[in-house]
Amino acid sequence: MTAWMVLTDLDGTLLDHDSYDWHPAEPALQALQTRGIPVIAVTSKTPAELASLRLEIPYLAPLMACENGAVVIDDRAGLQTREVLGEATDTLIDWFEHACRETGARCIGFHQASDQQVAEWTGLTLADAGLARDREASLPVYYPAQWPNRTAFIEAVEAQGGRVLEGGRFLHLAGHADKGTALKWMIDRLHIERTVALGDGGNDDAMLALATIAIRIPTAGTDRPESLTSIQRASQPGPAGWNEAMLSLMGQGLFDGTRGERNE
Ligand SMILES: [Mg+2]
């Protein structure tokens, strides 16, 4: 008997890029729940944001990776664990400020923005914007549409040992941990080797590259070149594409006769 788990990005993948609605994915989420297959959020969101989102989306497993894989949480009763796998936000802020000084970059880190500004960039409520700014081991960066010294900025971050990941809305400063690190942590934690991963952004690539089955959720209105070779592409953006891609896998019998948790 082979067990599977599903790892999914949230913004622009399970959640609509603009409205944050997840309901178009409910038929597939329900079918996965019926089969006992855990659906694990792997997101750039913070633990505080995810705690509030889990109250809205009853299908998410009590395991999750936040802040682009830098913070992983197992919230199952009796098994509660929380680990920080990445560099502290203070270190990322040092790298960011050094790279800005060196290149004259005019981008804005979340630590420099107000809740109001983050709400305007994201369409989140003011309260949710506050939760989004409460970071432990990641740093989203807002950047201007025309940014001639973007490559120089990225190189200046990398020269200090950091990385710059491209999300759907922001760049994300990161250290050695990414969503691929989180995927490996989940495999160790659940003893489930077979994974379906879904994501829309460049910050999902490390997770998609390690998954048994990788599904790219397209972005509305843009035709971003695919960076990975072994990947399926959903036919629609956001939760509608998520729903269709997962129902299609189930229709092909991928999970038949399996349970999400291995019997031990
Ligand atoms: Mg995304």
Side-chain angles (χ1 to χ4, degrees):
M1 189 179 280
T2 313
W4 286 84
M5 63 175 155
V6 173
L7 298 119
T8 184
D9 172 50
L10 294 179
D11 291 0
T13 299
L14 185 62
L15 309 180
D16 182 87
H17 179 77
D18 298 311
S19 69
Y20 298 101
D21 186 23
W22 59 275
H23 287 94
E26 190 157 20
L29 287 166
Q30 234 159 24
L32 288 164
Q33 188 176 65
T34 303
R35 287 167 166 79
I37 295 168
V39 176
I40 295 170
V42 181
T43 173
S44 61
K45 288 187 183 298
T46 63
E49 285 180 284
L50 213 45
S52 119
L53 202 59
R54 278 181 61 211
L55 301 175
E56 270 180 57
I57 310 178
Y59 302 100
L60 293 177
L63 293 98
M64 65 219 83
C66 309
E67 304 196 32
N68 276 318
V71 180
V72 284
I73 296 169
D74 183 343
D75 201 23
R76 287 176 294 174
L79 296 167
Q80 276 97 346
T81 297
R82 186 180 193 284
E83 281 182 45
V84 177
L85 304 177
E87 276 77 6
T89 300
D90 282 349
T91 302
L92 303 175
I93 289 173
D94 285 347
W95 293 345
F96 169 82
E97 290 183 344
H98 181 83
C100 286
R101 275 197 304 275
E102 211 164 70
T103 65
R106 295 196 176 273
C107 45
I108 304 168
F110 263 32
H111 63 297
Q112 299 165 317
S114 62
D115 290 354
Q116 179 69 41
Q117 206 159 22
V118 169
E120 280 167 22
W121 291 333
T122 56
L124 295 172
T125 64
L126 212 52
D128 285 346
L131 300 180
R133 288 184 58 244
D134 180 17
R135 298 204 163 250
E136 193 172 337
S138 63
L139 181 65
V141 171
Y142 175 84
Y143 56 97
Q146 302 295 325
W147 184 10
N149 48 6
R150 175 184 166 124
T151 307
F153 172 82
I154 291 172
E155 285 170 1
V157 171
E158 288 171 351
Q160 300 171 85
R163 283 189 295 167
V164 179
L165 309 172
E166 190 158 358
R169 211 175 239 113
F170 301 105
L171 294 180
H172 298 267
L173 255 69
H176 60 273
D178 56 27
K179 291 188 177 188
T181 320
L183 175 140
K184 291 182 202 158
W185 192 87
M186 294 300 168
I187 288 175
D188 284 349
R189 194 83 193 149
L190 286 181
H191 311 293
I192 296 174
E193 298 271 337
R194 296 205 170 217
T195 53
V196 179
L198 305 98
D200 70 315
N203 58 335
D204 299 311
D205 285 1
M207 167 176 78
L208 293 168
L210 291 173
T212 314
I213 294 175
I215 297 171
R216 175 75 70 195
I217 302 293
T219 309
T222 56
D223 207 11
R224 185 171 162 273
E226 182 53 63
S227 44
L228 301 171
T229 47
S230 183
I231 192 160
Q232 302 179 21
R233 192 174 175 85
S235 64
Q236 306 172 64
W242 202 103
N243 188 58
E244 176 247 69
M246 291 309 302
L247 287 180
S248 161
L249 286 182
M250 285 182 261
Q252 294 161 30
L254 183 72
F255 306 124
D256 288 355
T258 70
R259 290 180 53 78
E261 308 254 358
R262 177 183 291 178
N263 296 318
E264 301 194 270

